[in-house]
Amino acid sequence: MFTSKQQPGACDPLLCIGHSHVACVAQAAVKLEVPLQAMNFWEMPRAILREDGVPRLSLDIELRLRRHPGPLFSLMGGAAHGVLGMLVHPRRFDFVLPAQPDLSLDPLAEILPVLAVRGMLESLMTDYLALMTQLRQFCTGALFHVEPPPPYADAGRMHADIPWPLYPGMCHEISPAPFRLKLWRLHTQILDDWCRANDTKLLRCPAEAMDADGFMREAFYGDGAHANVAYGELVLQQMKGLA
């Protein structure tokens, strides 16, 4: 667990918990000297256990969360849309997003029903939603889930940053930007539905980090899947405003 430096007499540190998107927020806290405790599960191999195939937060994590008065900021998961569609699938597909039906379709792709695509996304999010449910059970105060950063449009810029070996079986081609945007928005809809059903607020990505079409602005690009510390600063300011 990462804890940024706290000045004497400062208020209790913010607490965020989750996976790789925690990193840019933790880096921002160091830069801005904001007290923050950041639990990044990629750096905590014993934090998540599995029982009968179901992920479970460790007792140590549970006790920490129960003692924390809130708010708690969740950055669980956040990569399912990238896993499914950052790269072109061997069975190339696309779909119409009902909320934005004008987004262009890939002319080379098979068009699938949106519910079929949603089902694929939900299957990739199962473990993360299970962990979020445990957060809600253990958290005694307000719970916010932080929307993952939007996709970056420029595939040429992204190409050098893609960890290609982590995507076995996928084509060596980045998916069209409108398709990636649709997947991200559908992913957010699933999160929003979960939050509404579980007394949790969805903290939307900072508006100033997005261009007019909804893609990540150049100044906040980190790599093909993550935002940078400047983006983390914006999220940290949002968190401070809710604490």
Side-chain angles (χ1 to χ4, degrees), residues 18 52 60:
D52 299 323
D60 178 60

Side-chain angles (χ1 to χ4, degrees), residues 17-20 39-51 53-62 65 75-77 127-132 134-135 138:
I17 184 170
H19 294 84
S20 58
M39 299 184 192
N40 184 341
F41 289 139
W42 292 119
E43 301 170 355
M44 304 171 68
R46 298 181 181 178
I48 299 176
L49 311 174
R50 295 196 79 87
E51 293 182 350
V54 178
R56 180 177 66 80
L57 295 172
S58 69
L59 180 60
D60 178 60
I61 297 295
E62 176 183 345
L65 296 179
L75 292 95
M76 291 287 190
D127 282 0
Y128 302 123
L129 294 177
L131 292 171
M132 288 164 59
Q134 292 171 52
L135 291 186
F138 302 153

Side-chain angles (χ1 to χ4, degrees), residues 54-100:
V54 178
R56 180 177 66 80
L57 295 172
S58 69
L59 180 60
D60 178 60
I61 297 295
E62 176 183 345
L63 293 176
R64 291 185 191 184
L65 296 179
R66 290 190 184 278
R67 289 194 297 262
H68 184 69
L72 174 64
F73 296 92
S74 162
L75 292 95
M76 291 287 190
H81 57 289
V83 172
L84 181 60
M86 181 184 295
L87 304 184
V88 172
H89 194 276
R91 182 176 173 178
R92 196 173 186 125
F93 71 94
D94 203 342
F95 65 102
V96 175
L97 184 67
Q100 287 186 276

Side-chain angles (χ1 to χ4, degrees), residues 43-209:
E43 301 170 355
M44 304 171 68
R46 298 181 181 178
I48 299 176
L49 311 174
R50 295 196 79 87
E51 293 182 350
D52 299 323
V54 178
R56 180 177 66 80
L57 295 172
S58 69
L59 180 60
D60 178 60
I61 297 295
E62 176 183 345
L63 293 176
R64 291 185 191 184
L65 296 179
R66 290 190 184 278
R67 289 194 297 262
H68 184 69
L72 174 64
F73 296 92
S74 162
L75 292 95
M76 291 287 190
H81 57 289
V83 172
L84 181 60
M86 181 184 295
L87 304 184
V88 172
H89 194 276
R91 182 176 173 178
R92 196 173 186 125
F93 71 94
D94 203 342
F95 65 102
V96 175
L97 184 67
Q100 287 186 276
D102 55 327
L103 286 172
S104 63
L105 292 169
D106 181 351
L108 302 177
E110 175 184 1
I111 308 304
L112 299 181
V114 65
L115 290 180
V117 180
R118 177 172 175 135
M120 289 188 284
L121 268 179
E122 288 175 332
S123 69
L124 293 171
M125 297 169 68
T126 299
D127 282 0
Y128 302 123
L129 294 177
L131 292 171
M132 288 164 59
T133 298
Q134 292 171 52
L135 291 186
R136 182 63 280 176
Q137 293 170 348
F138 302 153
C139 177
T140 59
L143 175 62
F144 295 89
H145 184 75
V146 180
E147 182 182 26
Y152 186 68
D154 186 357
R157 167 78 184 276
M158 292 171 58
H159 198 275
D161 297 322
I162 301 296
W164 300 99
L166 296 182
Y167 296 89
M170 302 294 276
C171 298
H172 201 81
E173 177 186 354
I174 296 173
S175 295
F179 174 72
R180 291 185 282 113
L181 183 65
K182 283 184 277 188
L183 279 180
W184 175 72
R185 292 203 181 281
L186 186 57
H187 182 272
T188 291
Q189 184 60 62
I190 295 170
L191 290 174
D192 190 43
D193 290 345
W194 184 93
C195 288
R196 290 175 184 274
N198 290 275
D199 190 26
T200 301
K201 295 292 182 67
L202 182 63
L203 184 57
R204 299 282 184 168
C205 68
E208 55 266 53

